[in-house]
Short mmCIF file of all heavy atoms in Angstrom, two decimals:
data_model
loop_
_atom_site.label_atom_id
_atom_site.label_comp_id
_atom_site.label_asym_id
_atom_site.label_seq_id
_atom_site.Cartn_x
_atom_site.Cartn_y
_atom_site.Cartn_z
N VAL A 7 -11.65 76.52 2.24
CA VAL A 7 -12.14 75.29 2.84
C VAL A 7 -10.94 74.52 3.39
O VAL A 7 -9.96 74.31 2.69
CB VAL A 7 -12.92 74.44 1.81
CG1 VAL A 7 -13.42 73.16 2.43
CG2 VAL A 7 -14.06 75.24 1.22
N SER A 8 -11.04 74.10 4.65
CA SER A 8 -9.93 73.37 5.28
C SER A 8 -9.75 71.99 4.65
O SER A 8 -10.65 71.47 3.99
CB SER A 8 -10.20 73.21 6.78
OG SER A 8 -11.25 72.30 6.99
N LYS A 9 -8.59 71.40 4.89
CA LYS A 9 -8.32 70.06 4.37
C LYS A 9 -9.30 69.05 4.96
O LYS A 9 -9.76 68.14 4.27
CB LYS A 9 -6.88 69.64 4.69
CG LYS A 9 -5.86 70.30 3.82
CD LYS A 9 -4.47 69.74 4.10
CE LYS A 9 -3.46 70.39 3.19
NZ LYS A 9 -2.13 69.82 3.36
N ALA A 10 -9.62 69.21 6.24
CA ALA A 10 -10.55 68.29 6.89
C ALA A 10 -11.94 68.40 6.25
O ALA A 10 -12.61 67.38 6.02
CB ALA A 10 -10.64 68.59 8.39
N GLU A 11 -12.35 69.63 5.94
CA GLU A 11 -13.65 69.85 5.31
C GLU A 11 -13.66 69.25 3.90
O GLU A 11 -14.63 68.62 3.50
CB GLU A 11 -13.96 71.35 5.26
CG GLU A 11 -15.30 71.69 4.66
CD GLU A 11 -16.49 71.35 5.53
OE1 GLU A 11 -16.31 71.06 6.73
OE2 GLU A 11 -17.62 71.37 5.02
N LYS A 12 -12.57 69.45 3.17
CA LYS A 12 -12.47 68.87 1.82
C LYS A 12 -12.55 67.35 1.89
O LYS A 12 -13.21 66.71 1.07
CB LYS A 12 -11.15 69.28 1.16
CG LYS A 12 -11.16 70.68 0.61
CD LYS A 12 -9.82 70.99 -0.08
CE LYS A 12 -9.77 72.42 -0.55
NZ LYS A 12 -8.49 72.75 -1.18
N ALA A 13 -11.87 66.77 2.87
CA ALA A 13 -11.89 65.31 3.03
C ALA A 13 -13.30 64.81 3.33
O ALA A 13 -13.74 63.80 2.79
CB ALA A 13 -10.92 64.89 4.13
N LYS A 14 -14.02 65.55 4.17
CA LYS A 14 -15.39 65.18 4.51
C LYS A 14 -16.30 65.26 3.29
O LYS A 14 -17.13 64.38 3.06
CB LYS A 14 -15.91 66.11 5.61
CG LYS A 14 -16.56 65.41 6.76
CD LYS A 14 -16.95 66.38 7.82
CE LYS A 14 -15.84 66.40 8.85
NZ LYS A 14 -16.14 67.19 10.01
N ARG A 15 -16.13 66.32 2.52
CA ARG A 15 -16.93 66.48 1.29
C ARG A 15 -16.65 65.36 0.32
O ARG A 15 -17.57 64.84 -0.33
CB ARG A 15 -16.63 67.84 0.64
CG ARG A 15 -17.17 69.02 1.42
CD ARG A 15 -16.82 70.32 0.74
NE ARG A 15 -17.30 71.46 1.51
CZ ARG A 15 -17.31 72.71 1.06
NH1 ARG A 15 -16.86 72.98 -0.15
NH2 ARG A 15 -17.75 73.68 1.81
N LEU A 16 -15.38 64.98 0.21
CA LEU A 16 -15.00 63.88 -0.68
C LEU A 16 -15.61 62.56 -0.20
O LEU A 16 -16.12 61.78 -1.00
CB LEU A 16 -13.48 63.77 -0.77
CG LEU A 16 -12.92 62.72 -1.72
CD1 LEU A 16 -13.38 62.98 -3.14
CD2 LEU A 16 -11.40 62.69 -1.64
N GLN A 17 -15.57 62.32 1.09
CA GLN A 17 -16.19 61.10 1.64
C GLN A 17 -17.69 61.08 1.34
O GLN A 17 -18.25 60.04 1.00
CB GLN A 17 -15.98 61.03 3.15
CG GLN A 17 -14.58 60.68 3.56
CD GLN A 17 -14.43 60.71 5.07
OE1 GLN A 17 -15.04 61.51 5.77
NE2 GLN A 17 -13.59 59.83 5.59
N PHE A 18 -18.33 62.24 1.48
CA PHE A 18 -19.77 62.33 1.21
C PHE A 18 -20.07 62.02 -0.25
O PHE A 18 -20.96 61.22 -0.56
CB PHE A 18 -20.29 63.72 1.59
CG PHE A 18 -21.70 63.97 1.16
CD1 PHE A 18 -22.75 63.16 1.58
CD2 PHE A 18 -22.00 65.04 0.32
CE1 PHE A 18 -24.05 63.39 1.17
CE2 PHE A 18 -23.30 65.28 -0.09
CZ PHE A 18 -24.33 64.46 0.33
N THR A 19 -19.32 62.63 -1.17
CA THR A 19 -19.59 62.37 -2.58
C THR A 19 -19.24 60.93 -2.95
O THR A 19 -19.92 60.32 -3.78
CB THR A 19 -18.88 63.38 -3.50
OG1 THR A 19 -17.49 63.40 -3.19
CG2 THR A 19 -19.48 64.75 -3.36
N ASP A 20 -18.20 60.37 -2.34
CA ASP A 20 -17.89 58.95 -2.56
C ASP A 20 -19.06 58.08 -2.11
O ASP A 20 -19.40 57.10 -2.76
CB ASP A 20 -16.62 58.54 -1.82
CG ASP A 20 -15.35 59.06 -2.48
OD1 ASP A 20 -15.43 59.56 -3.64
OD2 ASP A 20 -14.28 58.99 -1.84
N TRP A 21 -19.67 58.46 -1.00
CA TRP A 21 -20.85 57.73 -0.50
C TRP A 21 -21.99 57.83 -1.52
O TRP A 21 -22.68 56.84 -1.77
CB TRP A 21 -21.27 58.30 0.86
CG TRP A 21 -22.49 57.66 1.43
CD1 TRP A 21 -22.57 56.49 2.13
CD2 TRP A 21 -23.84 58.15 1.37
NE1 TRP A 21 -23.86 56.23 2.49
CE2 TRP A 21 -24.66 57.24 2.03
CE3 TRP A 21 -24.41 59.29 0.79
CZ2 TRP A 21 -26.04 57.41 2.15
CZ3 TRP A 21 -25.78 59.47 0.91
CH2 TRP A 21 -26.58 58.54 1.58
N LEU A 22 -22.18 59.02 -2.10
CA LEU A 22 -23.23 59.20 -3.12
C LEU A 22 -22.96 58.30 -4.33
O LEU A 22 -23.89 57.66 -4.85
CB LEU A 22 -23.32 60.66 -3.56
CG LEU A 22 -23.94 61.63 -2.58
CD1 LEU A 22 -23.82 63.07 -3.10
CD2 LEU A 22 -25.39 61.30 -2.29
N TYR A 23 -21.71 58.25 -4.77
CA TYR A 23 -21.36 57.38 -5.90
C TYR A 23 -21.77 55.94 -5.60
O TYR A 23 -22.37 55.26 -6.44
CB TYR A 23 -19.85 57.41 -6.18
CG TYR A 23 -19.36 58.60 -6.96
CD1 TYR A 23 -18.52 59.54 -6.36
CD2 TYR A 23 -19.68 58.78 -8.30
CE1 TYR A 23 -18.03 60.63 -7.07
CE2 TYR A 23 -19.20 59.86 -9.03
CZ TYR A 23 -18.38 60.79 -8.41
OH TYR A 23 -17.90 61.86 -9.11
N ARG A 24 -21.42 55.47 -4.41
CA ARG A 24 -21.73 54.08 -4.04
C ARG A 24 -23.23 53.88 -3.86
O ARG A 24 -23.80 52.89 -4.34
CB ARG A 24 -21.01 53.69 -2.75
CG ARG A 24 -19.52 53.49 -2.90
CD ARG A 24 -18.90 52.90 -1.63
NE ARG A 24 -19.24 53.62 -0.42
CZ ARG A 24 -18.60 54.68 0.05
NH1 ARG A 24 -17.57 55.18 -0.60
NH2 ARG A 24 -18.97 55.26 1.18
N GLN A 25 -23.87 54.80 -3.18
CA GLN A 25 -25.29 54.65 -2.85
C GLN A 25 -26.16 54.61 -4.11
O GLN A 25 -27.11 53.85 -4.17
CB GLN A 25 -25.72 55.81 -1.93
CG GLN A 25 -26.98 55.58 -1.19
CD GLN A 25 -26.86 54.47 -0.16
OE1 GLN A 25 -25.84 54.30 0.48
NE2 GLN A 25 -27.91 53.71 -0.02
N TYR A 26 -25.83 55.47 -5.05
CA TYR A 26 -26.65 55.59 -6.26
C TYR A 26 -26.05 54.82 -7.44
O TYR A 26 -26.59 54.87 -8.54
CB TYR A 26 -26.84 57.06 -6.62
CG TYR A 26 -27.76 57.75 -5.64
CD1 TYR A 26 -27.27 58.34 -4.48
CD2 TYR A 26 -29.14 57.77 -5.85
CE1 TYR A 26 -28.11 58.95 -3.58
CE2 TYR A 26 -29.99 58.38 -4.95
CZ TYR A 26 -29.47 58.97 -3.81
OH TYR A 26 -30.32 59.57 -2.91
N GLU A 27 -24.96 54.13 -7.19
CA GLU A 27 -24.30 53.30 -8.20
C GLU A 27 -24.05 54.06 -9.50
O GLU A 27 -24.44 53.64 -10.59
CB GLU A 27 -25.12 52.03 -8.46
CG GLU A 27 -25.24 51.16 -7.22
CD GLU A 27 -26.13 49.95 -7.42
OE1 GLU A 27 -26.80 49.84 -8.48
OE2 GLU A 27 -26.15 49.10 -6.52
N VAL A 28 -23.41 55.23 -9.34
CA VAL A 28 -23.03 56.03 -10.50
C VAL A 28 -21.50 56.12 -10.54
O VAL A 28 -20.84 56.01 -9.52
CB VAL A 28 -23.63 57.47 -10.45
CG1 VAL A 28 -25.14 57.43 -10.57
CG2 VAL A 28 -23.21 58.22 -9.21
N SER A 29 -20.98 56.31 -11.74
CA SER A 29 -19.53 56.41 -11.88
C SER A 29 -19.11 57.82 -12.29
O SER A 29 -17.92 58.10 -12.39
CB SER A 29 -19.02 55.39 -12.91
OG SER A 29 -19.66 55.61 -14.15
N PHE A 30 -20.10 58.69 -12.54
CA PHE A 30 -19.78 60.05 -12.96
C PHE A 30 -20.84 61.01 -12.43
O PHE A 30 -22.03 60.72 -12.48
CB PHE A 30 -19.76 60.11 -14.50
CG PHE A 30 -19.59 61.51 -15.02
CD1 PHE A 30 -18.35 62.12 -15.03
CD2 PHE A 30 -20.68 62.22 -15.50
CE1 PHE A 30 -18.20 63.41 -15.51
CE2 PHE A 30 -20.54 63.51 -15.98
CZ PHE A 30 -19.30 64.11 -15.99
N LEU A 31 -20.36 62.13 -11.92
CA LEU A 31 -21.24 63.23 -11.55
C LEU A 31 -20.71 64.48 -12.24
O LEU A 31 -19.51 64.75 -12.19
CB LEU A 31 -21.27 63.43 -10.03
CG LEU A 31 -22.00 62.37 -9.23
CD1 LEU A 31 -21.76 62.55 -7.73
CD2 LEU A 31 -23.49 62.39 -9.53
N PRO A 32 -21.58 65.23 -12.90
CA PRO A 32 -21.12 66.40 -13.65
C PRO A 32 -20.65 67.54 -12.74
O PRO A 32 -21.02 67.61 -11.56
CB PRO A 32 -22.34 66.82 -14.47
CG PRO A 32 -23.50 66.22 -13.76
CD PRO A 32 -23.01 65.01 -13.03
N LYS A 33 -19.88 68.43 -13.33
CA LYS A 33 -19.32 69.56 -12.59
C LYS A 33 -20.42 70.40 -11.95
O LYS A 33 -20.27 70.87 -10.82
CB LYS A 33 -18.46 70.41 -13.53
CG LYS A 33 -17.75 71.54 -12.85
CD LYS A 33 -16.86 72.32 -13.80
CE LYS A 33 -16.17 73.45 -13.06
NZ LYS A 33 -15.25 74.18 -13.93
N TYR A 34 -21.54 70.59 -12.66
CA TYR A 34 -22.61 71.43 -12.10
C TYR A 34 -23.16 70.85 -10.80
O TYR A 34 -23.62 71.60 -9.93
CB TYR A 34 -23.73 71.67 -13.11
CG TYR A 34 -24.69 70.51 -13.30
CD1 TYR A 34 -25.78 70.32 -12.45
CD2 TYR A 34 -24.51 69.62 -14.34
CE1 TYR A 34 -26.65 69.26 -12.62
CE2 TYR A 34 -25.39 68.56 -14.52
CZ TYR A 34 -26.46 68.39 -13.66
OH TYR A 34 -27.33 67.34 -13.82
N PHE A 35 -23.11 69.54 -10.63
CA PHE A 35 -23.59 68.94 -9.39
C PHE A 35 -22.70 69.36 -8.22
O PHE A 35 -23.20 69.74 -7.15
CB PHE A 35 -23.64 67.41 -9.49
CG PHE A 35 -24.05 66.76 -8.20
CD1 PHE A 35 -25.37 66.79 -7.78
CD2 PHE A 35 -23.11 66.17 -7.36
CE1 PHE A 35 -25.76 66.23 -6.56
CE2 PHE A 35 -23.49 65.61 -6.15
CZ PHE A 35 -24.81 65.64 -5.75
N PHE A 36 -21.39 69.34 -8.43
CA PHE A 36 -20.46 69.76 -7.38
C PHE A 36 -20.59 71.26 -7.09
O PHE A 36 -20.45 71.70 -5.95
CB PHE A 36 -19.02 69.39 -7.75
CG PHE A 36 -18.80 67.91 -7.76
CD1 PHE A 36 -18.86 67.19 -8.95
CD2 PHE A 36 -18.56 67.22 -6.58
CE1 PHE A 36 -18.67 65.82 -8.95
CE2 PHE A 36 -18.37 65.85 -6.58
CZ PHE A 36 -18.44 65.15 -7.77
N MET A 37 -20.90 72.03 -8.13
CA MET A 37 -21.13 73.46 -7.94
C MET A 37 -22.39 73.68 -7.10
O MET A 37 -22.42 74.55 -6.23
CB MET A 37 -21.23 74.16 -9.29
CG MET A 37 -19.90 74.18 -10.04
SD MET A 37 -19.99 74.70 -11.76
CE MET A 37 -20.54 76.38 -11.60
N ASN A 38 -23.41 72.87 -7.37
CA ASN A 38 -24.64 72.96 -6.57
C ASN A 38 -24.39 72.57 -5.12
O ASN A 38 -24.91 73.22 -4.20
CB ASN A 38 -25.75 72.10 -7.16
CG ASN A 38 -26.38 72.72 -8.39
OD1 ASN A 38 -26.26 73.92 -8.62
ND2 ASN A 38 -27.03 71.90 -9.19
N LEU A 39 -23.60 71.53 -4.89
CA LEU A 39 -23.26 71.14 -3.52
C LEU A 39 -22.53 72.27 -2.81
O LEU A 39 -22.80 72.55 -1.64
CB LEU A 39 -22.39 69.87 -3.51
CG LEU A 39 -23.08 68.53 -3.61
CD1 LEU A 39 -22.07 67.39 -3.52
CD2 LEU A 39 -24.16 68.37 -2.58
N ASP A 40 -21.61 72.91 -3.52
CA ASP A 40 -20.88 74.03 -2.93
C ASP A 40 -21.85 75.15 -2.54
O ASP A 40 -21.71 75.76 -1.48
CB ASP A 40 -19.82 74.54 -3.90
CG ASP A 40 -18.84 75.48 -3.24
OD1 ASP A 40 -18.28 75.10 -2.18
OD2 ASP A 40 -18.64 76.60 -3.76
#
Side-chain angles (χ1 to χ4, degrees):
V7 180
S8 71
K9 284 185 179 184
E11 182 72 13
K12 282 182 184 179
K14 228 176 264 186
R15 290 179 182 190
L16 183 60
Q17 287 177 325
F18 171 59
T19 54
D20 286 348
W21 178 82
L22 287 174
Y23 281 113
R24 288 189 309 274
Q25 198 67 36
Y26 289 89
E27 298 176 352
V28 294
S29 58
F30 174 78
L31 288 171
K33 184 177 180 178
Y34 77 85
F35 177 75
F36 292 98
M37 292 169 64
N38 284 341
L39 277 182
D40 193 52

